[in-house]
Amino acid sequence: MSNKDIRKKLLGKQRRVVVKVGSSILASVEKGLHYEVFSRLSKEISELKRQGYEIVLVSSGAIAAGMEKLGYQTRPQAITQKQATAAVGQTRLMNIYENYFSRFQQMVAQVLLTRDDLSHRGRFLNARNTLLTLLELGIIPIINENDTVAVDEIKFGDNDNLSALITNLIGADLLIILTDIDGLCDSDPRVNPHARCIPLVEEINADLEEIVGETKSEMSVGGMISKIQAAKKASRSGIPTVVARGTKEGVLHQILKGKAIGTLILPKGEALSSRKHWIAFNPRPKGDIFVDDGAKKAVVQRGKSLLPSGVVKIRGSFDRGDLVTCLGPRGKEFARGLVNYGASELERIKGLRSNQIQSTLGYKYSDEVIHRDDLVVL
């Protein structure tokens, strides 16, 4: 099936769409904020909304807006300066969006998130309920990372990855990432005028990641690699991703009509449930469990739970219910899951059969160290 046929078949049915807008199309060092882009996107998204689409907008640009307001010519480097600049810029950013969307009688809502908000299962569900309620009310959520309080430990890293997590959070049908180049290219088009856009990606592999490289602009954070990482996350929910130039007139309309624009990245493999996707990508692991080859094969090849008999080593400090990584004999991570025993308990029962847990600990939560329902093979 050709790229054109795939797009026509795949992109004509989506109704709930996450649109990520990068700083590189909203602002530049030379010109500051690009108000014409805000205006055009607000009009286009409002039109799609009237056509029956549900749109969630993930927008960068708080620091860029703050830089313009404060008169900075270069992006601040110190964390406190970035946070202060974001605090100034976030109100300005939302004011711009509200101003342009109001011209089309479209209400918007600000939602600021950190990784902690999606790592905690209860807060994850609260965030989902809020976003779904906003959509039911006909309001377009505008989401950004809460740069004012975010530090490395609670950052998503960039809004590309945040947008991918949002697709799972709300059960979206499509992720669109708008940037300042035509799509995923075989080299940086800003450096190589002969760079070619890749129209269709059926599978993300190491070769593609090497080809795309660290393409990024002065105003952006993640570059093309982060867009591939985001597409991988969306793919595990069975969601396709389109990466396209956001400065093109009618770009969203063209994508949703199946036009050959940008790079379409297809989902690969069996889609994870929302809960398993959350396990795989939202919480930060608290520790590591090393297992023998037999236990690894049982988990990966036969879909079994992880039992204490297969555990050979524990690293880190974690409690019952925490997320841990599972590593094979060579020390390579192959799965993640929510553990039924804390690190100190697991040290005592590692290598034992399940029927020995009670006599060793004096109690037993479960026969499994990690139940297969709480275990995701990566």
Side-chain angles (χ1 to χ4, degrees):
M1 192 180 293
S2 68
N3 173 44
K4 182 178 179 181
D5 291 337
I6 291 173
R7 285 175 181 259
K8 285 286 187 183
K9 181 179 179 180
L10 194 63
L11 299 180
K13 302 175 182 178
Q14 275 72 19
R15 279 297 173 264
R16 182 172 292 172
V17 182
V18 174
V19 177
K20 186 267 177 177
V21 183
S23 296
S24 59
I25 67 169
L26 295 177
S28 63
V29 174
E30 299 81 15
K31 298 181 180 179
L33 295 177
H34 300 163
Y35 293 96
E36 71 282 1
V37 175
F38 284 97
S39 176
R40 182 175 50 75
L41 285 174
S42 299
K43 179 182 178 182
E44 192 169 355
I45 290 172
S46 297
E47 289 172 350
L48 290 171
K49 175 72 172 47
R50 287 195 293 272
Q51 293 172 19
Y53 289 94
E54 293 182 326
I55 307 291
V56 172
L57 182 60
V58 177
S59 178
S60 302
I63 290 180
M67 286 172 59
E68 181 174 275
K69 184 73 172 178
L70 295 169
Y72 292 165
Q73 296 302 309
T74 58
R75 188 181 178 91
Q77 298 302 311
I79 289 178
T80 52
Q81 280 191 318
K82 287 181 182 178
Q83 292 173 326
T85 305
V88 171
Q90 186 61 38
T91 55
R92 182 168 174 76
L93 183 70
M94 283 305 302
N95 183 265
I96 293 168
Y97 273 123
E98 188 158 30
N99 176 45
Y100 282 115
F101 272 107
S102 66
R103 298 179 184 185
F104 308 102
Q105 293 75 52
Q106 177 58 57
M107 290 182 65
V108 296
Q110 173 180 263
V111 180
L112 298 177
L113 297 170
T114 66
R115 176 175 281 275
D116 269 3
D117 295 318
L118 300 190
S119 294
H120 186 279
R121 186 65 179 169
R123 286 156 69 179
F124 174 94
L125 295 174
N126 287 340
R128 180 170 70 182
N129 291 337
T130 298
L131 291 174
L132 294 181
T133 300
L134 288 171
L135 292 176
E136 288 175 6
L137 293 172
I139 299 169
I140 294 174
I142 300 179
I143 303 173
N144 197 359
E145 180 159 18
N146 193 350
D147 292 314
T148 302
V149 301
V151 292
D152 287 344
E153 290 77 11
I154 59 172
K155 283 178 72 67
F156 295 102
D158 54 75
N159 274 346
D160 293 324
N161 280 286
L162 171 58
S163 67
L165 297 176
I166 295 299
T167 61
N168 172 61
L169 181 70
I170 65 167
D173 303 311
L174 176 67
L175 171 61
I176 299 175
I177 299 177
L178 299 181
T179 184
D180 61 345
I181 58 178
D182 289 331
L184 299 183
C185 300
D186 57 9
S187 60
D188 190 340
R190 302 183 196 90
V191 178
N192 178 13
H194 304 293
R196 293 183 298 112
C197 179
I198 303 167
L200 180 67
V201 174
E202 297 188 36
E203 181 178 7
I204 297 172
N205 53 36
D207 291 338
L208 177 67
E209 292 176 350
E210 185 175 349
I211 288 171
V212 170
E214 279 291 346
T215 306
K216 59 179 166 181
S217 70
E218 288 184 78
M219 298 301 291
S220 68
V221 176
M224 285 296 118
I225 285 294
S226 72
K227 288 159 183 57
I228 290 178
Q229 293 170 345
K232 277 185 177 179
K233 290 181 174 68
S235 176
R236 294 305 299 273
S237 289
I239 300 168
T241 299
V242 175
V243 180
R245 184 185 290 275
T247 53
K248 285 187 176 181
E249 187 75 27
V251 59
L252 297 177
H253 286 295
Q254 292 181 59
I255 290 171
L256 292 170
K257 287 179 180 177
K259 301 293 184 182
I261 181 172
T263 301
L264 170 61
I265 305 167
L266 300 179
K268 187 72 174 178
E270 184 180 354
L272 295 174
S273 67
S274 177
R275 174 178 167 77
K276 286 206 169 187
H277 193 281
W278 175 80
I279 291 172
F281 297 115
N282 284 286
R284 287 187 182 273
K286 297 291 185 66
D288 306 305
I289 297 177
F290 293 80
V291 306
D292 60 31
D293 194 52
K296 179 182 176 182
K297 287 179 179 178
V299 168
V300 174
Q301 297 177 12
R302 303 200 299 277
K304 299 293 186 179
S305 300
L306 177 62
L307 302 177
S309 58
V311 177
V312 296
K313 179 182 173 183
I314 293 93
R315 182 170 62 193
S317 177
F318 52 86
D319 297 319
R320 182 186 180 208
D322 283 342
L323 180 78
V324 297
T325 62
C326 301
L327 299 91
R330 296 182 181 178
K332 184 176 180 180
E333 181 183 2
F334 67 89
R336 292 186 175 191
L338 304 178
V339 71
N340 287 324
Y341 293 93
S344 60
E345 295 167 319
L346 201 47
E347 280 286 1
R348 297 174 60 190
I349 62 173
K350 67 182 180 183
L352 301 181
R353 296 188 304 275
S354 295
N355 60 12
Q356 296 176 292
I357 296 175
Q358 176 77 41
S359 59
T360 303
L361 295 179
Y363 55 88
K364 181 168 71 171
Y365 296 125
S366 171
D367 285 340
E368 304 88 9
V369 172
I370 305 176
H371 192 277
R372 63 185 181 183
D373 290 345
D374 295 325
L375 189 59
V376 180
V377 176
L378 303 178

